[in-house]
Every structure is written in C-alpha cells, then in structure tokens.
Amino acid sequence: MPRTYGDKLLIQLQQADPTLLGVQLGRLCVEANLPVAYISEALEVSRNTVNLWFRGQVMHEQKRKIVQAFMYLVEQDMKNGVLPASNLKRAKAYVEEMIGRKI
C-alpha cells in the first residue's frame, strides 16, 4: 500500500548530499508526489532499495542509467504540467502508463 512521505524522510532529504543521484531522485519524487511503492515498481527494485537511495546509499552502476532515464521523464512531465500527481490513484496510473503494465 503506498504511503505519503513522512516528515523524517523529508528532513533527511533536505539535509542529504544533493550531488547523490538517489537523493536527487528522492527530492524529485517528493515534488512529483510519486510514492516509493510505485517508484520501486517502475525501477524494478524493492521499496527498501528506493528508501536507501533516498537516504544517500550508493546505487549500483547498472541501475544508474535506468534511474536517470526515469528522472528525465518525470522532470519533463513536471515541466509539462502532467505532474505532480494530485492523488495516489493518479500517481499509480502515471507509473502504469510509463512502464506499460499494471502494478
């Protein structure tokens, strides 16, 4: 079940090193209102992995390109007004359309 972002994570994201890709991903997903559960489906990793990336854990090189492509698409949709998602249902529909399957 997707959940909203807690205050503790939001504070950690603001204090984390902004040069780390996982922290950049976290900040972008908070801004786009995309829950970790849906991000993990899109990136084909566990929710725990996404949470660790958000907190600054180094990401394996093989996932970096996928994450960068995901971030590019989200950034473009933020610019085009598609995001932020107004609710969980729309966030889920957005990710499902992006990955081409139900989650």
Side-chain angles (χ1 to χ4, degrees):
M1 179 98 189
R3 296 184 295 179
T4 57
Y5 293 102
D7 291 339
K8 184 176 179 182
L9 175 62
L10 296 175
I11 291 168
Q12 287 176 335
L13 277 172
Q14 289 305 311
Q15 296 174 344
D17 182 352
T19 64
L20 296 173
L21 186 60
V23 173
Q24 294 170 13
L25 174 66
R27 290 179 177 181
L28 179 62
C29 290
V30 166
E31 185 179 352
N33 199 26
L34 297 174
V36 169
Y38 301 154
I39 298 162
S40 68
E41 288 284 338
L43 300 176
E44 297 181 338
V45 296
S46 70
R47 284 185 264 183
N48 187 53
T49 296
V50 173
N51 278 308
L52 290 172
W53 289 344
F54 283 10
R55 289 171 170 81
Q57 183 167 336
V58 177
M59 141 183 345
H60 292 288
E61 191 60 36
Q62 65 192 27
K63 283 292 181 184
R64 291 182 71 78
K65 287 185 181 181
I66 294 168
V67 169
Q68 289 169 329
F70 175 82
M71 289 174 62
Y72 175 79
L73 294 172
V74 171
E75 287 168 348
Q76 293 305 305
D77 286 339
M78 291 285 292
K79 288 178 187 173
N80 293 330
V82 175
L83 292 171
S86 58
N87 56 46
L88 289 175
K89 183 178 179 180
R90 290 200 177 161
K92 182 178 181 184
Y94 173 81
V95 173
E96 287 177 340
E97 183 178 332
M98 177 187 277
I99 64 175
R101 64 177 167 82
K102 295 277 186 191
I103 52 175

